Amino acid sequence: MATFLICLVLAFVLGFAAHRASICMVRAVAEIQHARTGYMAASIGKTILWIVLVTLPVFWLAESSGPYLGGWQLTAWAVAGGFLFGAGAGINGACAYSTMTRLMDGEGRMAATVIGFTMGIVAFTMLIDAGRIAAPIPAQPDVDRLVDWAAFIVVGLGVLAAYEMLRLWRSRPKDASVASLILARQYRLSTAALLIGLAGATIFLLFGSAGYTSTFEVVIQGLFGKTAPATGRWLLLLAVLAGMLTSSLERRSFSLDVRPRPDWLRHIGGGALMGMGTALAPGGNDVLVLYAIPVLSPHALPSFAAMAIGVVAGLLVMRRAFGVEMRVSCRNDTYVSG
């Protein structure tokens, strides 16, 4: 029970940090396209490195990656799932975590995305039952490749981590108290990467994979008599959402807007693609970044690359079909607008 309570606190911190930094894969791609900078993309990469730094020594000392890690085979369906998720996220204008952060800010259109996501999972389940598509195939992750070089990797990442923490501390506002740093209206992207990476890695080691897209997927599939998620995964998801909502309320950025508009149909469509992609890959960008890539699941990196290409395609559809162009600006390692 004490271990799970620690996981709940860390899930809350993860949600709070994700909301305060406005982390989003779609914004990362849009920033590269329009601002020609890569602050947000770099923060996603830093998150993965923090997770590897925490988890790899445990796998190394245990001399086993453990059966609870799990992974998925690299298949054409998995890559297609990554592309579909990315395209849907681009059309939606928000990836997995930013959909939830904006929902916690009161944006009703993100509820439309969740409805579409549910429709995508349902469609996937029906296609599986009809034998039209192949289900993801479990596979052992390739983390043992990292374990073989663990000493060098851990030392190298440890040096980088020490430098990064020192840099963040020295570059903080000199007159800022710890409380003011915690309650800063906008976190630096590197700070959020540190918090999300450390929290996500510890949850992974203590509990296992608990991505919200995969949790929601098995909930929907449970309605069709498939496996339902354990109660712990539900509680961790609620803790993440509580962290996001607390950040929104404390920052006073919450503004309830539930009046339906025609563009909600676009979010439903984007959400449906995200749901189908999550089921095919399997996992959305949250699962790939926090769990699959750090343990080198065979499908992870190709699916993530396909997801990035899908986001580009989705943003192109937004501009050509809907006249909506997403411009993102980041300065000094901080999200400014988008």
Side-chain angles (χ1 to χ4, degrees):
M1 179 58 71
T3 299
F4 186 66
L5 288 176
I6 292 173
C7 289
L8 289 177
V9 172
L10 292 173
F12 181 93
V13 170
L14 192 155
F16 192 95
H19 184 274
R20 284 293 161 110
S22 305
I23 293 287
C24 176
M25 184 176 178
V26 178
R27 287 175 180 150
V29 173
E31 180 197 355
I32 293 172
Q33 284 184 321
H34 297 288
R36 298 294 189 267
T37 57
Y39 289 109
M40 195 161 291
S43 71
I44 295 173
K46 289 178 180 180
T47 299
I48 295 173
L49 293 180
W50 280 112
I51 294 171
V52 172
L53 177 61
V54 174
T55 58
L56 185 57
V58 176
F59 303 148
W60 180 28
L61 294 174
E63 298 183 351
S64 172
S65 58
Y68 76 96
L69 290 182
W72 301 94
Q73 286 188 17
L74 173 59
T75 64
W77 286 114
V79 175
F83 179 85
L84 286 177
F85 183 94
I91 293 171
N92 181 52
C95 68
Y97 269 110
S98 56
T99 293
M100 302 313 292
T101 57
R102 291 170 60 181
L103 182 62
M104 293 300 100
D105 275 333
E107 288 192 39
R109 68 186 64 194
M110 293 297 105
T113 303
V114 174
I115 292 172
F117 190 94
T118 302
M119 294 168 59
I121 298 295
V122 171
F124 168 83
T125 304
M126 295 174 65
L127 289 171
I128 286 289
D129 290 343
R132 299 297 180 88
I133 58 177
I137 304 172
Q140 185 69 17
D142 295 329
V143 70
D144 288 339
R145 295 183 182 180
L146 296 180
V147 171
D148 291 339
W149 297 89
F152 300 100
I153 295 173
V154 170
V155 170
L157 289 182
V159 171
L160 290 176
Y163 169 78
E164 179 75 351
M165 294 179 71
L166 184 62
R167 181 186 70 84
L168 290 172
W169 181 251
R170 285 184 171 179
S171 59
R172 77 193 190 284
K174 298 305 180 184
D175 58 344
S177 64
V178 174
S180 66
L181 292 174
I182 294 174
L183 299 178
R185 287 189 59 81
Q186 193 70 29
Y187 280 9
R188 282 182 290 180
L189 294 166
S190 294
T191 301
L194 185 155
L195 293 173
I196 293 172
L198 296 183
T202 306
I203 293 171
F204 190 21
L205 292 173
L206 296 179
F207 182 85
S209 176
Y212 101 73
T213 50
S214 58
T215 298
F216 196 55
E217 174 193 351
V218 293
V219 168
I220 300 303
Q221 291 182 337
L223 299 177
F224 290 80
K226 313 295 183 181
T227 302
T231 303
R233 289 188 64 170
W234 261 115
L235 294 176
L236 287 173
L237 171 57
L238 291 176
V240 171
L241 295 178
M244 294 175 176
L245 180 60
T246 300
S247 173
S248 179
L249 294 174
E250 194 282 331
R251 192 170 65 177
R252 299 183 180 179
S253 59
F254 182 85
S255 179
L256 187 61
D257 182 6
V258 294
R259 181 168 60 89
R261 297 179 177 84
D263 73 338
W264 281 29
L265 294 175
R266 171 167 61 85
H267 293 283
I268 290 176
L273 292 177
M274 292 170 70
M276 178 66 77
T278 292
L280 283 171
N285 64 302
D286 60 324
V287 174
L288 292 178
V289 169
L290 293 178
Y291 308 110
I293 293 177
V295 300
L296 296 184
S297 175
H299 82 299
L301 286 173
S303 295
F304 190 79
M307 192 175 290
I309 296 172
V311 171
V312 173
L315 292 174
L316 180 62
V317 170
M318 281 182 65
R319 185 168 68 250
R320 296 286 180 84
F322 302 104
V324 177
E325 187 168 10
M326 192 169 184
R327 294 181 177 273
V328 172
S329 175
C330 295
R331 287 196 299 270
N332 298 325
D333 197 25
T334 304
Y335 170 72
V336 177
S337 66

